[in-house]
Amino acid sequence: MRETLADTATSKPPECQPYPCLIPLQPQGSKPPFFCVHPFAGVVFPYYELTSLLGKNQPVYGLQSFSLAGEGKPLTRIEDMAAHYIKAIRTVQPQGPYILGGWSFGLNSNDYDDFF
């Protein structure tokens, strides 16, 4: 049976449970994980096609908006978002270096530099 986008976006391995914002788009593979920060709309669905293009050996995780993931009120400061997302990333990969990606609002690497 083929897994649907909705199944993938809502399934979380046990190590991700404390951070519902961390969506395992493709958790299998031997390469270092690639973490995609959500664009302005807050969803990670735009990365689903990229995940399939990267192949089955490339783990890919999406970082969905804090509030869309049901974790509370929206975070309004990028510093707060970065701090929360970094904690989520470290549940999958405790040590860097980290491979981060994003578009639109999704990533400004300067916002993350002070946290790693």
Side-chain angles (χ1 to χ4, degrees):
M1 184 169 114
R2 186 174 169 199
E3 187 174 38
T4 67
L5 176 58
D7 294 334
T8 302
T10 57
S11 66
K12 298 175 196 71
E15 72 271 12
C16 298
Q17 291 300 325
Y19 295 95
C21 65
L22 187 64
I23 308 296
L25 299 173
Q26 191 338 63
Q28 287 81 36
S30 61
K31 294 181 179 180
F34 178 42
F35 298 95
C36 300
V37 181
H38 63 82
F40 185 74
V43 297
V44 297
F45 296 127
Y47 299 120
Y48 194 71
E49 184 175 352
L50 173 63
T51 298
S52 67
L53 295 172
L54 292 174
K56 295 183 183 216
N57 198 31
Q58 177 61 65
V60 180
Y61 292 83
L63 290 158
Q64 186 162 279
S65 171
F66 183 82
S67 61
L68 288 177
E71 296 185 63
K73 292 181 180 181
L75 298 174
T76 58
R77 292 176 1 107
I78 294 211
E79 295 86 355
D80 295 337
M81 290 178 206
H84 186 75
Y85 297 157
I86 289 164
K87 289 176 185 175
I89 287 170
R90 287 183 173 155
T91 65
V92 173
Q93 182 184 342
Q95 301 284 322
Y98 300 96
I99 302 171
L100 304 173
W103 60 279
S104 181
F105 171 77
L107 179 67
N108 178 344
S109 61
N110 294 330
D111 295 325
Y112 290 82
D113 287 344
D114 293 335
F115 293 97
F116 288 115

